[in-house]
């Protein structure tokens, strides 16, 4: 089965820590995405990448950066985690016709 | 901002057809209509997409009006497992996917 995997399902970090969320896809997709989902705010796009080393900001990039050194891996980085970054983080990759989402990482920042 | 308008919630009896509407009056010629759904605590799941013709697959049917300003997703025989939030998205191929608030569909036993 083709799939998108995320490094952790649950993560607890302290304020100020540097946090890495990893996403890997095995489908040779060029486009990959990071979203966060919060109650009442829905799914919001943080960053997306349309090729290796290529990235574009989404709607809410503040406080985040990304890295895409290899086609299959797209990393989301919280340079200095804050409590307002407590959220569910979802990664996706897509073909021209459809996106496939990972299971999500639920991050708690204390 | 999302380019689509959907009712916030809908109910449907189990075994009946669920018809979920979506308005996208500002759709551009190169934009497709995509439908995804999200079951509680899971990532969104692709359902179907179309450009201007009606489409059908094993999950659902997509009816797009001739002027392309609206569409309807049809789940022909809804089951309790179809309870989810359904998102209608318009987007060119290969582009970013922006989610709106979607429609929360409740399937009633």
């Amino acid at each position: 089965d083709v799939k998108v995997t995320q490094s952790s399902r649950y993560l607890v970090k302290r304020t100020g820590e540097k946090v890495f969320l990893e996403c890997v896809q095995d489908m040779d997709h060029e486009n990959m995405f990071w979203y966060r989902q919060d109650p009442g705010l829905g799914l919001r796009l943080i960053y997306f990448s349309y090729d290796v080393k290529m990235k574009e900001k989404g709607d809410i990039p503040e406080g985040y950066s990304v890295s895409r050194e290899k086609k299959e891996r797209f990393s989301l980085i919280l340079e200095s985690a804050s409590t307002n970054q407590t959220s569910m983080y979802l990664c996706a990759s897509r073909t021209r016709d459809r996106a496939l989402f990972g299971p999500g990482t639920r991050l708690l920042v204390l | 901002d999302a380019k689509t308008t959907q009712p916030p919630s809908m109910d449907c009896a189990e075994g009946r057809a669920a018809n979920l509407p979506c308005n996208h009056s500002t759709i551009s010629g190169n934009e497709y209509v995509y439908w995804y759904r999200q079951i509680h605590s899971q990532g969104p799941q692709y359902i179907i997409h179309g450009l201007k013709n009606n489409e059908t697959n094993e999950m659902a049917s997509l009816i797009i009006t001739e002027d392309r300003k609206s569409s309807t997703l049809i789940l022909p025989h809804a089951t309790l497992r179809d309870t989810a939030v359904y998102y209608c998205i318009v987007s060119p191929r290969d582009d970013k996917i922006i989610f709106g608030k979607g429609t929360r569909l409740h399937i009633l036993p």
Side-chain angles (χ1 to χ4, degrees):
Chain A
D1 262 0
V2 293
K3 58 185 177 182
V4 176
T5 58
Q6 295 184 230
S7 49
S8 306
R9 291 300 304 273
Y10 301 94
L11 208 53
V12 180
K13 295 292 181 180
R14 297 276 179 197
T15 301
E17 279 193 75
K18 190 168 185 176
V19 181
F20 293 85
L21 302 182
E22 305 286 341
C23 176
V24 178
Q25 51 100 357
D26 62 359
M27 298 160 285
D28 204 36
H29 291 167
E30 292 181 346
N31 291 1
M32 297 186 74
F33 308 82
W34 274 106
Y35 296 85
R36 63 177 284 178
Q37 185 167 30
D38 303 286
L41 297 176
L43 278 148
R44 293 180 291 168
L45 181 64
I46 305 172
Y47 267 98
F48 71 102
S49 168
Y50 47 92
D51 205 347
V52 174
K53 297 188 186 295
M54 309 295 278
K55 61 187 180 185
E56 281 197 26
K57 294 180 181 179
D59 295 327
I60 51 163
E62 297 79 17
Y64 303 94
S65 63
V66 289
S67 172
R68 189 146 180 227
E69 297 296 320
K70 293 184 178 181
K71 195 173 188 179
E72 67 269 19
R73 187 181 297 271
F74 190 34
S75 303
L76 181 69
I77 304 158
L78 287 64
E79 296 288 344
S80 178
S82 64
T83 54
N84 63 12
Q85 292 178 309
T86 290
S87 186
M88 167 71 90
Y89 290 88
L90 287 154
C91 174
S93 71
R94 75 170 293 182
T95 65
R96 301 195 76 195
D97 291 336
R98 68 189 68 188
L100 186 64
F101 283 78
T105 296
R106 193 168 292 279
L107 173 66
L108 173 62
V109 182
L110 300 173
Chain B
D1 285 345
K3 301 180 184 178
T4 61
T5 303
Q6 300 178 251
S9 67
M10 293 182 63
D11 292 338
C12 179
E14 190 177 17
R16 305 296 293 269
N19 296 276
L20 292 90
C22 179
N23 286 322
H24 31 80
S25 58
T26 61
I27 191 169
S28 301
N30 67 336
E31 290 182 318
Y32 286 69
V33 180
Y34 295 87
W35 283 84
Y36 287 81
R37 73 179 182 184
Q38 187 174 24
I39 297 170
H40 183 62
S41 298
Q42 299 181 20
Q45 175 192 23
Y46 166 85
I47 301 172
I48 199 168
H49 76 283
L51 182 62
K52 52 184 177 181
N53 296 323
N54 298 338
E55 302 288 344
T56 296
N57 64 20
E58 66 280 2
M59 290 183 69
S61 295
L62 174 60
I63 309 298
I64 302 174
T65 59
E66 194 168 341
D67 63 6
R68 303 210 320 127
K69 292 186 177 183
S70 66
S71 60
T72 301
L73 178 75
I74 302 172
L75 307 178
H77 304 287
T79 71
L80 296 177
R81 288 176 294 180
D82 293 321
T83 293
V85 178
Y86 287 77
Y87 298 98
C88 170
I89 297 161
V90 294
S91 166
R93 280 175 152 177
D94 297 327
D95 204 354
K96 57 188 177 183
I97 303 170
I98 301 299
F99 287 82
K101 296 286 174 64
T103 296
R104 188 170 295 275
L105 177 66
H106 298 102
I107 305 301
L108 307 175

